[in-house]
Amino acid sequence: MKLLVVVDMQNDFVTGVLGTKEAESIVSDVAKMIASYDGEVVYTMDTHTEDYLHTMEGEKLPVTHCVAGTEGWQLVPEIKNAIEHKVSKEFCKPTFGSLELQEYVKALNEEQMLEQIDLVGVCTDICVISNALLLKAAVPEVKICVYEDLTAGVTEESHLNAINAMKMCHIDILSKE
């Protein structure tokens, strides 16, 4: 069994306050991968409250984003449409990595023996790498793959740094082609 993890493809990270051209450029291809994926699809949602700026993360990144229920918190419409046509599970997370996702994958692997976990989304250098490493720790014998051209970082340099760090941790870096 294969699992696709779509990381934080939310308005604030694509076209909103923390959006980038690189994030915008992957939306269509991520939606296509979701639609054609032969396996289970799950997704994460960066989820904050109105007091975000008073959290440790908010002190280090003082940009209010992904406040639950706001337009910026919502999935990008093209991604939302693709996900709605799949049976999927949502993981709201108050920080970079999702411990709930990690536990879900661990249990799923015990039940059905995962052969591969694929990750796409944003931001490569924060939430994608955090979730990839948590999943590698949870199921070390399952092949973990990140699609380099279906992820986007805060900057191109930090994206490449994260890709290289994941390679060193035995996470396979793939291309959609």
Side-chain angles (χ1 to χ4, degrees):
M1 175 185 184
K2 288 174 51 177
L3 177 70
L4 175 63
V5 178
V6 180
V7 179
D8 297 356
M9 290 297 294
Q10 296 161 266
N11 289 321
D12 274 347
F13 290 127
V14 177
T15 58
V17 294
L18 295 173
T20 64
K21 290 177 189 156
E22 292 81 7
E24 286 184 62
S25 75
I26 68 170
V27 169
S28 183
D29 286 334
V30 169
K32 287 176 190 168
M33 183 171 198
I34 293 166
S36 66
Y37 196 74
D38 184 26
E40 183 176 346
V41 177
V42 300
Y43 61 100
T44 65
M45 299 278 288
D46 196 47
T47 304
H48 300 293
T49 58
E50 293 290 338
D51 70 339
Y52 170 78
L53 294 177
H54 301 290
T55 66
M56 188 176 292
E57 180 183 327
E59 290 175 14
K60 304 236 185 228
L61 176 63
V63 178
T64 301
H65 64 281
C66 295
V67 173
T70 65
E71 182 64 26
W73 177 77
Q74 302 293 325
L75 289 172
V76 173
E78 195 172 348
I79 300 300
K80 183 178 180 182
N81 185 52
I83 283 177
E84 285 178 348
H85 291 92
K86 291 282 193 176
V87 175
S88 59
K89 183 167 176 52
E90 174 185 279
F91 296 92
C92 292
K93 58 185 187 56
T95 189
F96 308 137
S98 173
L99 294 174
E100 184 183 359
L101 171 63
Q102 181 187 37
E103 290 302 315
Y104 176 77
V105 166
K106 226 171 140 178
L108 187 63
N109 188 54
E110 289 171 5
E111 291 171 12
Q112 300 183 33
M113 285 298 287
L114 288 166
E115 63 186 73
Q116 183 170 320
I117 301 171
D118 297 310
L119 288 93
V120 298
V122 295
C123 293
T124 318
D125 41 348
I126 302 172
C127 294
V128 174
I129 191 172
S130 295
N131 284 289
L133 292 173
L134 282 172
L135 293 173
K136 190 66 175 171
V139 288
E141 295 303 318
V142 174
K143 183 176 182 178
I144 309 286
C145 303
V146 170
Y147 283 78
E148 182 174 10
D149 52 356
L150 296 178
T151 56
V154 174
T155 67
E156 182 60 25
E157 180 182 8
S158 62
H159 168 77
L160 292 174
N161 286 340
I163 292 296
N164 287 326
M166 287 186 281
K167 284 180 187 175
M168 293 302 297
C169 293
H170 305 167
I171 293 168
D172 291 339
I173 306 302
L174 304 177
S175 172
K176 70 179 184 263
E177 316 243 334

